[in-house]
Amino acid sequence: MDKQSITFMTKILNQSGQSDETYIPPALHYIPPKSDYQEVISEVHMVLFPVFEDLLAKTKLTPRDIDVLIVNCSGFCPAPSLSSIIVNKFRMREDIKSYTISGMGCSASALAIDITQNIFKSLKDSIAVVLSTEILSTESKNRAKYELVKTLRTQRAYDDKGYFSAYREEDSDGYTGVTLKRNLLETAGETLRSNITILGRAVINEIGQGLNLGESDMEAALMTLHRFGNQSSSSLWYELAYLEAKERVKRGDKVWMLGMGSGPKCISIIWECIRPICGEAQRGPWADSIDGYPLG
């Protein structure tokens, strides 16, 4: 990698809105980054196994209690699949309904909730786990914080301009990455006529200006970006955890969760809080840093 490329990457990182506390996988601490299969599998184990174990401990569930497992990750689709890796590691039931979602970008976790809702129409009184790269969520009547009220999906893959605005491909040197076209914000605006969403700092700010939102309205999204970086689909869960840690979600409140991914596609999810949310500032992803946010 030449000096000009390193200078460009440094500039992008400095302007990305991410902080020194943002987590970066070990493989990305090298120039050029390590990208062999075993490095990626090691990251899967390092990230997904502990959070799944933490979920089981918090909910007092066993792996065999789970009826449905959905795992989403846009950039990595191994064989066996990510869901199979989890099923194998935790010796889950042979009749578990397991799915792996890839290539959906930041909309994937919202899409997984929409899929789960449809599955529940035929599987009554079931327990589902949605594992979105670095974070996971569960549906369980006796333990749930939220009730799913409504989902709405829209997409513009039929439009070439939108389809190629964010596109995964190799560059001339054979490195795989995502090409972002200059019309990305314009495409996002068109896609979000019926749905709005979050994808990185520039889009967050663009959406905020279009809706006349103030800094406090975008606080959860911007602080998540600063603390954890662009977590793609899992950003939605970090943002919800931020609002919970700040005790801004009350019983009876409705939460509008929006996700957008390549395609482009947009998904809206409406949740209703069904029980008091207490003590989240002392646990969860924000436990060690919530007192430092929002930034002064």
Side-chain angles (χ1 to χ4, degrees):
M1 184 172 294
D2 58 35
K3 184 176 180 180
Q4 185 177 6
S5 296
I6 294 175
T7 300
F8 175 74
M9 291 172 63
T10 301
K11 180 179 179 180
I12 293 298
L13 286 172
N14 288 337
Q15 297 179 352
S16 68
Q18 302 178 53
S19 71
D20 293 337
E21 293 181 304
T22 298
Y23 301 128
I24 297 178
L28 297 185
H29 286 253
Y30 299 87
I31 298 178
K34 291 185 176 181
S35 58
D36 60 89
Y37 183 83
Q38 192 53 50
E39 284 287 343
V40 184
I41 286 293
S42 296
E43 184 180 341
V44 170
H45 294 180
M46 178 183 70
V47 169
L48 299 186
F49 292 172
V51 292
F52 190 71
E53 291 166 346
D54 185 56
L55 171 72
L56 296 176
K58 286 180 177 178
T59 58
K60 295 181 172 57
L61 293 170
T62 71
R64 297 186 68 81
D65 292 326
I66 309 303
D67 302 292
V68 180
L69 172 68
I70 300 179
V71 183
N72 66 259
C73 179
S74 287
F76 183 52
C77 187
S81 66
L82 291 175
S83 60
S84 294
I85 291 173
I86 299 298
V87 169
N88 176 261
K89 167 67 176 178
F90 293 94
R91 297 295 185 261
M92 303 175 84
R93 298 200 319 258
E94 64 179 16
D95 64 342
I96 189 171
K97 308 298 182 185
S98 62
Y99 306 86
T100 300
I101 301 173
S102 65
M104 296 296 175
C106 295
S107 69
S109 60
L111 175 64
I113 298 299
D114 183 66
I115 292 173
T116 302
Q117 182 191 37
N118 289 324
I119 292 173
F120 280 169
K121 292 177 181 178
S122 59
L123 292 178
K124 304 296 184 183
D125 300 319
S126 297
I127 296 176
V129 167
V130 174
L131 188 56
S132 302
T133 60
E134 291 80 18
I135 200 71
L136 59 111
S137 175
T138 184
E139 290 276 327
S140 179
K141 193 174 290 186
N142 296 327
R143 302 174 180 87
K145 299 177 185 177
Y146 301 92
E147 178 180 352
L148 183 61
V149 176
K150 182 179 177 60
T151 63
L152 173 65
R153 295 170 58 183
T154 58
Q155 61 90 17
R156 295 177 59 86
Y158 58 83
D159 176 20
D160 283 350
K161 182 177 67 173
Y163 183 76
F164 289 105
S165 62
Y167 197 77
R168 187 177 179 86
E169 60 184 350
E170 289 186 355
D171 63 13
S172 57
D173 295 320
Y175 291 106
T176 300
V178 178
T179 299
L180 301 179
K181 297 294 181 64
R182 293 181 182 274
N183 69 340
L184 177 62
L185 294 182
E186 178 186 351
T187 299
E190 294 170 353
T191 307
L192 300 179
R193 290 184 186 277
S194 58
N195 285 301
I196 64 172
T197 192
I198 298 163
L199 175 66
R201 181 172 185 146
V203 176
I204 293 171
N205 289 334
E206 185 75 8
I207 291 171
Q209 292 172 7
L211 297 176
N212 295 317
L213 299 180
E215 290 187 7
S216 62
D217 298 302
M218 298 184 288
E219 182 181 315
L222 290 171
M223 297 307 103
T224 293
L225 178 63
H226 183 271
R227 174 64 180 85
F228 298 103
N230 184 356
Q231 293 294 327
S232 189
S233 63
S234 57
S235 295
L236 297 173
W237 307 116
Y238 283 97
E239 291 155 21
L240 181 58
Y242 181 90
L243 296 175
E244 292 180 346
K246 287 294 186 181
E247 298 185 354
R248 295 178 185 173
V249 183
K250 310 297 182 184
R251 183 174 183 176
D253 285 353
K254 286 186 171 62
V255 179
W256 188 4
M257 184 180 286
L258 304 112
M260 181 175 177
S262 54
K265 63 186 66 67
C266 183
I267 303 169
S268 290
I269 297 175
I270 307 298
W271 301 99
E272 182 173 353
C273 184
I274 58 176
R275 66 172 174 84
I277 306 296
C278 304
E280 293 300 325
Q282 286 74 49
R283 55 178 178 262
W286 292 94
D288 65 345
S289 57
I290 192 63
D291 290 340
Y293 291 94
L295 299 175

mmCIF file of all heavy atoms in Angstrom, residues 1 9 24-36 39 175-176:
data_model
loop_
_atom_site.group_PDB
_atom_site.id
_atom_site.type_symbol
_atom_site.label_atom_id
_atom_site.label_comp_id
_atom_site.label_asym_id
_atom_site.label_seq_id
_atom_site.Cartn_x
_atom_site.Cartn_y
_atom_site.Cartn_z
ATOM 1 N N MET A 1 0.851 -1.187 0.000
ATOM 2 C CA MET A 1 0.000 0.000 0.000
ATOM 3 C C MET A 1 0.890 1.241 0.000
ATOM 4 O O MET A 1 1.798 1.364 0.820
ATOM 5 C CB MET A 1 -0.915 0.005 1.220
ATOM 6 C CG MET A 1 -1.893 1.164 1.251
ATOM 7 S SD MET A 1 -3.103 0.993 2.591
ATOM 8 C CE MET A 1 -4.007 -0.455 2.047
ATOM 9 N N MET A 9 -6.555 7.099 3.710
ATOM 10 C CA MET A 9 -7.245 6.315 4.726
ATOM 11 C C MET A 9 -7.219 7.017 6.079
ATOM 12 O O MET A 9 -8.204 7.010 6.819
ATOM 13 C CB MET A 9 -6.607 4.928 4.843
ATOM 14 C CG MET A 9 -6.841 4.036 3.633
ATOM 15 S SD MET A 9 -5.889 2.493 3.716
ATOM 16 C CE MET A 9 -6.622 1.756 5.177
ATOM 17 N N ILE A 24 -11.927 -2.275 16.721
ATOM 18 C CA ILE A 24 -11.514 -2.707 15.391
ATOM 19 C C ILE A 24 -10.984 -4.123 15.511
ATOM 20 O O ILE A 24 -10.165 -4.400 16.380
ATOM 21 C CB ILE A 24 -10.433 -1.779 14.801
ATOM 22 C CG1 ILE A 24 -10.993 -0.356 14.630
ATOM 23 C CG2 ILE A 24 -9.938 -2.309 13.461
ATOM 24 C CD1 ILE A 24 -9.982 0.629 14.098
ATOM 25 N N PRO A 25 -11.454 -5.048 14.694
ATOM 26 C CA PRO A 25 -10.993 -6.433 14.791
ATOM 27 C C PRO A 25 -9.478 -6.544 14.635
ATOM 28 O O PRO A 25 -8.854 -5.724 13.943
ATOM 29 C CB PRO A 25 -11.716 -7.121 13.618
ATOM 30 C CG PRO A 25 -12.875 -6.248 13.311
ATOM 31 C CD PRO A 25 -12.445 -4.851 13.633
ATOM 32 N N PRO A 26 -8.861 -7.543 15.256
ATOM 33 C CA PRO A 26 -7.400 -7.706 15.172
ATOM 34 C C PRO A 26 -6.868 -7.718 13.747
ATOM 35 O O PRO A 26 -5.798 -7.168 13.476
ATOM 36 C CB PRO A 26 -7.170 -9.054 15.874
ATOM 37 C CG PRO A 26 -8.306 -9.178 16.833
ATOM 38 C CD PRO A 26 -9.480 -8.542 16.153
ATOM 39 N N ALA A 27 -7.606 -8.328 12.824
ATOM 40 C CA ALA A 27 -7.128 -8.441 11.444
ATOM 41 C C ALA A 27 -6.956 -7.082 10.776
ATOM 42 O O ALA A 27 -6.175 -6.939 9.827
ATOM 43 C CB ALA A 27 -8.093 -9.301 10.623
ATOM 44 N N LEU A 28 -7.683 -6.056 11.258
ATOM 45 C CA LEU A 28 -7.608 -4.718 10.654
ATOM 46 C C LEU A 28 -6.530 -3.852 11.279
ATOM 47 O O LEU A 28 -6.386 -2.684 10.926
ATOM 48 C CB LEU A 28 -8.966 -4.022 10.765
ATOM 49 C CG LEU A 28 -10.125 -4.693 10.029
ATOM 50 C CD1 LEU A 28 -11.380 -3.834 10.119
ATOM 51 C CD2 LEU A 28 -9.781 -4.969 8.576
ATOM 52 N N HIS A 29 -5.750 -4.411 12.189
ATOM 53 C CA HIS A 29 -4.649 -3.674 12.787
ATOM 54 C C HIS A 29 -3.376 -3.775 11.934
ATOM 55 O O HIS A 29 -2.326 -3.293 12.334
ATOM 56 C CB HIS A 29 -4.358 -4.192 14.200
ATOM 57 C CG HIS A 29 -5.379 -3.772 15.213
ATOM 58 N ND1 HIS A 29 -5.146 -2.832 16.178
ATOM 59 C CD2 HIS A 29 -6.668 -4.148 15.380
ATOM 60 C CE1 HIS A 29 -6.231 -2.660 16.916
ATOM 61 N NE2 HIS A 29 -7.175 -3.455 16.456
ATOM 62 N N TYR A 30 -3.501 -4.392 10.779
ATOM 63 C CA TYR A 30 -2.374 -4.567 9.879
ATOM 64 C C TYR A 30 -2.604 -3.799 8.584
ATOM 65 O O TYR A 30 -3.742 -3.558 8.194
ATOM 66 C CB TYR A 30 -2.181 -6.059 9.537
ATOM 67 C CG TYR A 30 -1.890 -6.924 10.733
ATOM 68 C CD1 TYR A 30 -2.926 -7.476 11.483
ATOM 69 C CD2 TYR A 30 -0.578 -7.199 11.118
ATOM 70 C CE1 TYR A 30 -2.671 -8.279 12.585
ATOM 71 C CE2 TYR A 30 -0.311 -8.001 12.217
ATOM 72 C CZ TYR A 30 -1.362 -8.533 12.951
ATOM 73 O OH TYR A 30 -1.096 -9.321 14.041
ATOM 74 N N ILE A 31 -1.505 -3.386 7.934
ATOM 75 C CA ILE A 31 -1.574 -2.734 6.634
ATOM 76 C C ILE A 31 -0.723 -3.549 5.661
ATOM 77 O O ILE A 31 0.491 -3.651 5.840
ATOM 78 C CB ILE A 31 -1.060 -1.283 6.684
ATOM 79 C CG1 ILE A 31 -1.928 -0.441 7.630
ATOM 80 C CG2 ILE A 31 -1.052 -0.681 5.284
ATOM 81 C CD1 ILE A 31 -1.449 0.990 7.773
ATOM 82 N N PRO A 32 -1.348 -4.149 4.628
ATOM 83 C CA PRO A 32 -2.797 -4.214 4.404
ATOM 84 C C PRO A 32 -3.453 -5.148 5.411
ATOM 85 O O PRO A 32 -2.778 -5.989 6.016
ATOM 86 C CB PRO A 32 -2.900 -4.761 2.982
ATOM 87 C CG PRO A 32 -1.672 -5.593 2.810
ATOM 88 C CD PRO A 32 -0.598 -4.870 3.576
ATOM 89 N N PRO A 33 -4.764 -5.027 5.595
ATOM 90 C CA PRO A 33 -5.456 -5.873 6.570
ATOM 91 C C PRO A 33 -5.332 -7.356 6.221
ATOM 92 O O PRO A 33 -5.236 -7.729 5.059
ATOM 93 C CB PRO A 33 -6.926 -5.420 6.448
ATOM 94 C CG PRO A 33 -6.850 -4.058 5.849
ATOM 95 C CD PRO A 33 -5.666 -4.077 4.934
ATOM 96 N N LYS A 34 -5.314 -8.189 7.268
ATOM 97 C CA LYS A 34 -5.351 -9.632 7.044
ATOM 98 C C LYS A 34 -6.779 -10.022 6.668
ATOM 99 O O LYS A 34 -7.720 -9.621 7.338
ATOM 100 C CB LYS A 34 -4.923 -10.374 8.306
ATOM 101 C CG LYS A 34 -3.453 -10.215 8.662
ATOM 102 C CD LYS A 34 -3.081 -11.077 9.860
ATOM 103 C CE LYS A 34 -1.595 -10.998 10.160
ATOM 104 N NZ LYS A 34 -1.211 -11.850 11.310
ATOM 105 N N SER A 35 -6.911 -10.809 5.637
ATOM 106 C CA SER A 35 -8.261 -11.143 5.177
ATOM 107 C C SER A 35 -8.410 -12.621 4.838
ATOM 108 O O SER A 35 -9.323 -12.998 4.111
ATOM 109 C CB SER A 35 -8.623 -10.295 3.954
ATOM 110 O OG SER A 35 -7.683 -10.508 2.907
ATOM 111 N N ASP A 36 -7.513 -13.476 5.363
ATOM 112 C CA ASP A 36 -7.642 -14.891 5.055
ATOM 113 C C ASP A 36 -8.806 -15.498 5.830
ATOM 114 O O ASP A 36 -9.284 -14.944 6.824
ATOM 115 C CB ASP A 36 -6.339 -15.635 5.372
ATOM 116 C CG ASP A 36 -5.945 -15.536 6.833
ATOM 117 O OD1 ASP A 36 -6.376 -16.397 7.621
ATOM 118 O OD2 ASP A 36 -5.228 -14.578 7.183
ATOM 119 N N GLU A 39 -8.668 -15.976 9.732
ATOM 120 C CA GLU A 39 -8.764 -14.733 10.498
ATOM 121 C C GLU A 39 -10.231 -14.339 10.689
ATOM 122 O O GLU A 39 -10.648 -13.922 11.763
ATOM 123 C CB GLU A 39 -8.016 -13.600 9.784
ATOM 124 C CG GLU A 39 -6.509 -13.658 9.913
ATOM 125 C CD GLU A 39 -6.032 -13.272 11.299
ATOM 126 O OE1 GLU A 39 -6.806 -12.658 12.065
ATOM 127 O OE2 GLU A 39 -4.867 -13.585 11.623
ATOM 128 N N TYR A 175 -8.241 -6.088 -4.193
ATOM 129 C CA TYR A 175 -8.776 -5.949 -2.838
ATOM 130 C C TYR A 175 -10.287 -5.766 -2.894
ATOM 131 O O TYR A 175 -10.795 -4.968 -3.683
ATOM 132 C CB TYR A 175 -8.135 -4.759 -2.114
ATOM 133 C CG TYR A 175 -6.678 -4.974 -1.785
ATOM 134 C CD1 TYR A 175 -5.682 -4.320 -2.502
ATOM 135 C CD2 TYR A 175 -6.296 -5.837 -0.757
ATOM 136 C CE1 TYR A 175 -4.334 -4.511 -2.216
ATOM 137 C CE2 TYR A 175 -4.954 -6.036 -0.464
ATOM 138 C CZ TYR A 175 -3.983 -5.368 -1.194
ATOM 139 O OH TYR A 175 -2.657 -5.575 -0.897
ATOM 140 N N THR A 176 -10.999 -6.506 -2.049
ATOM 141 C CA THR A 176 -12.453 -6.422 -2.023
ATOM 142 C C THR A 176 -12.905 -5.334 -1.065
ATOM 143 O O THR A 176 -12.419 -5.235 0.057
ATOM 144 C CB THR A 176 -13.061 -7.767 -1.583
ATOM 145 O OG1 THR A 176 -12.661 -8.783 -2.507
ATOM 146 C CG2 THR A 176 -14.583 -7.690 -1.554
#
